[in-house]
Amino acid sequence: MSLINVKVVKIASEGEGIRSFLLRKTGFFKLPAYEPGAHIDVHCGEGIIRQYSLCGDQNDRHHYMIAVKQVELSRGGSDLMHLSVQEGDRLEIGSPRNNFSLYESAPHAVLLAGGIGITPIIAMADRLNALGRSFELHYFSRGPEHTAFQNRLLRGSFATRVSLHEGLDVAATKARLKAVFASPPPRTQVYICGPGLFMASAESTALKTIPAADIKLERFAANPATNIGPTAPFQIELAQSETTLEVGAKETILDVLQAHGIDAAFSCEQGVCGTCVTRALEGEPDHRDSFLSPKQRRANQQICLCVSRSKSSKLVLEL
Ligand code: FES
């Protein structure tokens, strides 16, 4: 996928440890249009690529906005964005991709954000508000100082739809979620983005009154519940290059491909973004990702190379 060159034109603090980055396209052409919920790959430096949701003005084709939280156990991306990237710097980004699409015609939407999960959620709120659709936004954060985009949320044109839930413990969070989903209008669509534990709690509460098909999740970190199980060695046969390779117990398929100089696209390396999804032609994948849908997993025709393994002794891949 070809990369887009952008310049960092503004960096702003949006809360404790949260910075927004306004990116302007260099050169003549406009930036690609995107839908709410979309994210971009950002090449942060030192070979690190991270995915950040677009959270700025969707009608502005000259700028993209992202927001990044500096995390304690950073794998490098958030540290680079916070400590190295300065206004005036140039970055490379990918075109927007959307795994968290908004169904704009739903009679009602419940938008749920935890922490930095507000980024795709605020873009959805902007869009639903512009369309005049019915929605409510619930934003759970550790406290007021951790609540990002306060101006837009509390003083913007959809402020009356926003409920902030700040500084709650686990029990209080569960009680609020229960209240949110107590009696949703028929055919309500739910969108959830946030840390893993928050998402698990929000999803299980929502499932009590909302059908699973109407609940959409966007993960920005691997779901620990999916990446478990034995790690026995197996073989991969690469159909196009007519090569067979061994994947050891402590290696991923992606590790092995890279070690043998075989080109395979990847980005998050956590089974979240879908960049490495490849067709599985034979064998039974052992899905460990958080990207493929339950239906896609059951079909066993695709596999995330960065985390998933094989239940059969050999997998044939379209590579
Ligand atoms: Fe993101 Fe594999 S690289 S899912």
Side-chain angles (χ1 to χ4, degrees):
M1 192 186 291
S2 62
L3 295 175
I4 302 168
N5 293 302
V6 292
K7 184 174 175 182
V8 181
V9 289
K10 188 174 176 196
I11 299 176
S13 171
E14 301 288 350
E16 200 167 300
I18 303 171
R19 289 174 130 196
S20 65
F21 297 79
L22 189 65
L23 312 174
R24 188 177 69 216
K25 173 130 177 26
T26 59
F28 183 70
F29 296 107
K30 290 179 182 172
L31 288 162
Y34 67 94
E35 294 172 348
H39 68 269
I40 51 171
D41 286 348
V42 176
H43 293 242
C44 308
E46 300 178 10
I48 292 177
I49 306 168
R50 292 288 176 267
Q51 293 70 46
Y52 297 112
S53 297
L54 292 166
C55 55
D57 178 355
Q58 289 147 46
N59 297 316
D60 179 355
R61 297 283 303 277
H62 297 283
H63 298 91
Y64 284 160
M65 181 186 278
I66 57 171
V68 181
K69 180 171 175 55
Q70 192 172 22
V71 291
E72 246 169 62
L73 297 174
S74 170
R75 294 184 302 130
S78 77
D79 273 355
L80 279 171
M81 293 300 289
H82 273 256
L83 304 176
S84 300
V85 175
Q86 307 286 334
E87 287 181 358
D89 284 357
R90 297 192 180 239
L91 292 174
E92 287 182 327
I93 62 172
S95 290
R97 289 181 293 153
N98 199 354
N99 308 321
F100 194 41
S101 295
L102 178 67
Y103 174 47
E104 297 180 346
S105 307
H108 185 68
V110 175
L111 309 178
L112 276 187
I116 195 64
I118 189 63
T119 49
I121 293 294
I122 200 170
M124 291 179 162
D126 276 338
R127 178 67 180 157
L128 292 172
N129 185 51
L131 294 172
R133 308 299 304 190
S134 168
F135 73 96
E136 59 194 278
L137 189 163
H138 297 272
Y139 183 9
F140 292 76
S141 69
R142 284 161 55 201
E145 66 278 21
H146 298 277
T147 301
F149 301 119
Q150 292 194 25
N151 248 334
R152 278 168 72 184
L153 292 168
L154 298 180
R155 286 175 273 286
S157 53
F158 55 80
T160 55
R161 323 273 190 106
V162 176
S163 300
L164 300 184
H165 309 276
E166 296 171 329
L168 304 181
D169 61 17
V170 173
T173 300
K174 281 189 176 160
R176 290 284 172 91
L177 289 168
K178 207 170 157 195
V180 168
F181 293 111
S183 52
R187 295 169 48 227
T188 291
Q189 297 283 307
V190 178
Y191 301 86
I192 308 171
C193 184
L197 287 177
F198 168 77
M199 292 185 67
S201 181
E203 184 187 17
S204 65
T205 310
L207 278 168
K208 296 199 166 87
T209 51
I210 307 262
D214 294 336
I215 302 172
K216 311 278 181 324
L217 308 170
E218 170 85 331
R219 297 186 190 281
F220 43 72
N223 179 0
T226 60
N227 195 1
I228 47 174
T231 53
F234 57 96
Q235 287 188 330
I236 49 172
E237 184 181 318
L238 311 181
Q240 286 169 10
S241 34
E242 296 182 355
T243 309
T244 299
L245 300 169
E246 186 82 12
V247 179
K250 293 191 174 153
E251 298 170 299
T252 65
I253 299 175
L254 188 61
D255 289 337
V256 172
L257 295 173
Q258 288 176 328
H260 288 81
I262 294 160
D263 236 6
F266 71 97
S267 182
C268 71
E269 296 178 78
Q270 291 193 88
V272 173
C273 72
T275 307
C276 66
V277 170
T278 298
R279 272 179 64 74
L281 304 174
E282 283 174 39
E284 189 183 357
D286 180 1
H287 298 290
R288 307 272 179 109
D289 63 282
S290 310
F291 177 79
L292 296 177
S293 68
K295 193 172 167 195
Q296 288 170 320
R297 284 158 185 268
R298 283 195 299 275
N300 271 343
Q301 290 173 346
Q302 301 178 82
I303 182 168
C304 281
L305 302 177
C306 65
V307 290
S308 293
R309 306 188 64 80
S310 179
K311 288 182 180 167
S312 48
S313 57
K314 184 158 90 174
L315 270 185
V316 182
L317 302 175
E318 191 179 58
L319 280 173

